[in-house]
Amino acid sequence: MRLITFGDSWTAGHGVEEDEKYKNDGNPLNDKGFIMRLRNMNSWPRWVADKMDCAFVNNGYCGYSNDEILEEVKILVGGNLLKEDDVIIVMFSYPHRKRNINGYKNLLGGKENDILFMFKEFEKLLSPYKHFYFNSFYPTFKDEKSVKVENLPNTFIEPSKCVSDILKQYEIDNDVSVWEYGKRNISTEDKSLWEGNYHPNLTGYKIIANYIYDKINSLI
C-alpha cells in the first residue's frame, strides 16, 4: 500500500519553511530545490503516511488549479503508475482559480465553468482505487447552487467544510499559531485566505494529517 496525494500549495507544503522570503515564491529553485523538498517532505501527506505505515508520493504543486490537479491524476493513471492497493487523496484548491476569464484557456476543453463536470472526471479516473477528497480552504461546491453536497459520494469527506476550518478552531482553542511565519488570528480574513495569502506551518500540517487520518482510517 502507498499513499498518493494531489493538490495545490496546501498539499505541496508551502509554509513549512520558517524564512518568510519564500512567501511569494511557490517553487523556489535558487537553492537547487531545497525549500521545495523541505515542503514536500513535511506537508500533511508525510504525517498521514506515517500513521498508515506506508510509502507516499506527494504530487502537490504551488499555484495549481483543480483542473491542473486533474491533469496530474491523468498522467499517473495514464502511465499505469498507480497500484490497485494505493490510497489516493485529492485536496482541492480554490474552485475559481484560473477559470476561463480574460482569455485564459482552461484545460477542461470548454467545461471550465462546470465544476461538477470536473469532479465527475476525477471520479472516472479514480474509481478503481481507494480514494478520498478534501477541501483545503474553500468548499468546492460552495457557489454551485445546483449541486446538493449530500448527494456527493461518501469519498468526499465533509464537502461543506475545509481543513482550514480545523486549523482556525485549533488556534482559537489552544492559543497557538498554526499558520506560516507565525501569523495569528486569520479567522477574520477569509478573503485573504481564499486568495492564497495564508498557509499552515509545520504544526498546522500535522493537525491536518491527524484530521485526515481520523476520517479515512476506518475506510481503508
Side-chain angles (χ1 to χ4, degrees):
M1 179 174 64
R2 305 175 302 181
L3 174 66
I4 314 295
T5 64
F6 299 89
D8 66 359
S9 54
W10 277 60
T11 298
H14 194 299
V16 166
E17 74 282 356
E18 297 179 357
D19 192 336
E20 195 166 356
K21 73 180 182 181
Y22 294 105
K23 178 174 176 59
N24 296 316
D25 193 348
N27 299 296
L29 295 174
N30 56 316
D31 52 16
K32 295 186 178 181
F34 177 83
I35 295 298
M36 289 177 63
R37 289 190 290 274
L38 176 68
R39 292 170 174 173
N40 184 281
M41 295 173 67
N42 291 282
S43 187
W44 61 263
R46 176 214 171 149
W47 309 111
V48 175
D50 277 359
K51 292 175 177 293
M52 293 170 58
D53 192 23
C54 69
F56 75 98
V57 180
N58 183 352
N59 295 287
Y61 294 92
C62 292
Y64 260 29
S65 60
N66 287 333
D67 53 312
E68 288 173 315
I69 295 170
L70 178 62
E71 288 299 305
E72 289 297 317
V73 174
K74 287 180 179 178
I75 290 170
L76 267 64
V77 171
N80 295 315
L81 295 171
L82 300 182
K83 297 181 177 181
E84 183 178 340
D85 64 344
D86 283 341
V87 175
I88 317 296
I89 299 179
V90 175
M91 184 172 287
F92 287 123
S93 181
Y94 182 54
H96 304 301
R97 175 177 279 174
K98 298 182 183 178
R99 291 179 79 171
N100 193 21
I101 56 176
N102 299 325
Y104 174 81
K105 177 66 175 175
N106 188 276
L107 296 171
L108 291 180
K111 292 287 189 177
E112 63 279 344
N113 291 317
D114 192 339
I115 294 176
L116 184 59
F117 172 85
M118 176 207 67
F119 180 73
K120 289 179 178 178
E121 290 295 295
F122 275 103
E123 281 289 87
K124 288 179 186 177
L125 292 166
L126 296 178
S127 59
Y129 312 98
K130 293 178 183 177
H131 65 283
F132 305 94
Y133 307 99
F134 291 83
N135 293 314
S136 53
F137 51 88
Y138 194 93
T140 300
F141 293 103
K142 177 180 174 68
D143 304 316
E144 307 304 308
K145 305 304 181 185
S146 63
V147 177
K148 295 182 178 180
V149 294
E150 59 268 23
N151 293 334
L152 295 172
N154 61 6
T155 52
F156 201 142
I157 308 299
E158 296 189 319
S160 295
K161 294 180 61 176
C162 306
V163 297
S164 61
D165 299 328
I166 306 301
L167 297 187
K168 290 177 186 179
Q169 192 59 52
Y170 188 93
E171 181 183 30
I172 291 170
D173 293 343
N174 297 277
D175 192 29
V176 296
S177 174
V178 294
W179 307 103
E180 59 185 355
Y181 319 126
K183 304 294 184 183
R184 293 295 303 269
N185 302 318
I186 74 134
S187 58
T188 60
E189 299 185 34
D190 279 345
K191 184 175 184 298
S192 187
L193 178 65
W194 302 336
E195 292 171 347
N197 292 326
Y198 292 105
H199 297 85
N201 60 17
L202 180 60
T203 297
Y205 283 116
K206 289 182 177 181
I207 294 167
I208 290 171
N210 289 338
Y211 166 75
I212 289 175
Y213 182 74
D214 286 347
K215 292 296 181 183
I216 70 171
N217 183 36
S218 64
L219 304 173
I220 58 178

